[in-house]
Amino acid sequence: MRYLIRDRMLAFHEEAWVETEHRQKLFKVDRKLMRLRATFHFVDTRGDQVASIVKKALTLHHTILIKQDGETVGRISKRRFRLFGDRFKVTLRDGRRLRIAGNLWDREFDIADNGTTLAHISRRWFSVRDAYAVDVTHEPDWLLLIVLAVCVDHIIEDHRSEQLTNL
């Protein structure tokens, strides 16, 4: 199943919508600013929070905690300094370790579990900040895979912002 994450460009705070490929809205991703740690809430169309991600501040690696029902269900991290390719490590509460690998410049990533691709993240056919697709091949984990896609996107944006600041 293909899901689309669409960013709202002119909002007071960062906001995105997760939609099906048929443009049915599923979740709003709402970023809370003015905190030491950036927090994103995934809110369904009824207004219920289904997941959240919290970016930890002051770490050696970009680290984001994934929470559902107030409990941490996973952690994603990326090394700050990497010469070739982008790789993210995901550790889940159930003991699984997922790998997200791809190309920063092409904005193409695969989420894999022991060599099996669970989802593919792509901005290839979309404008730079408008939208990106998440093709999920492992339906039982569809919500987690969408949350991981949002995490990857925000880690990349943070990295780009840091690079521009250092120029």
Side-chain angles (χ1 to χ4, degrees):
M1 173 94 175
R2 173 172 278 183
Y3 299 92
L4 303 174
I5 293 120
R6 298 186 178 280
D7 295 332
R8 279 192 54 195
M9 299 296 287
L10 300 174
F12 279 113
H13 57 283
E14 190 171 337
E15 182 178 280
W17 278 94
V18 177
E19 304 172 348
T20 66
E21 60 189 324
H22 305 293
R23 302 259 180 150
Q24 176 188 3
K25 290 186 177 186
L26 299 175
F27 306 108
K28 178 174 72 169
V29 182
D30 191 15
R31 181 177 182 179
K32 302 295 182 188
L33 299 176
M34 306 301 187
R35 294 186 181 180
L36 182 60
R37 299 189 296 181
T39 303
F40 299 77
H41 296 292
F42 290 73
V43 180
D44 67 16
T45 55
R46 295 176 299 178
D48 298 327
Q49 183 177 322
V50 296
S52 63
I53 57 178
V54 179
K55 180 181 145 196
K56 294 179 73 174
L58 306 171
T59 60
L60 291 176
H61 305 287
H62 283 283
T63 301
I64 295 178
L65 302 177
I66 302 164
K67 297 185 176 200
Q68 286 182 305
D69 299 322
E71 294 185 33
T72 301
V73 296
R75 171 186 313 259
I76 179 172
S77 61
K78 178 189 183 301
R79 294 178 189 232
R80 285 195 186 269
F81 306 107
R82 182 138 186 98
L83 294 176
F84 301 105
D86 281 297
R87 286 190 177 77
F88 302 84
K89 292 187 323 185
V90 179
T91 306
L92 301 176
R93 180 176 57 190
D94 64 8
R96 289 187 297 163
R97 294 185 183 272
L98 306 181
R99 182 173 175 221
I100 303 174
N103 187 319
L104 172 71
W105 306 112
D106 291 336
R107 305 291 286 246
E108 300 284 323
F109 295 90
D110 287 321
I111 302 173
D113 183 10
N114 289 325
T116 302
T117 300
L118 304 178
H120 179 74
I121 305 165
S122 175
R123 277 197 188 261
R124 179 170 288 186
W125 305 112
F126 299 97
S127 64
V128 174
R129 279 295 292 170
D130 180 38
Y132 53 98
V134 181
D135 291 309
V136 173
T137 57
H138 193 259
E139 284 300 317
D141 291 328
W142 71 273
L143 176 58
L144 173 66
L145 297 170
I146 290 171
V147 170
L148 289 172
V150 171
C151 290
V152 167
D153 186 57
H154 288 287
I155 289 171
I156 290 170
E157 290 304 317
D158 284 350
H159 181 69
R160 284 187 173 173
S161 296
E162 286 175 5
Q163 286 180 333
L164 290 175
T165 310
N166 294 332
L167 290 180

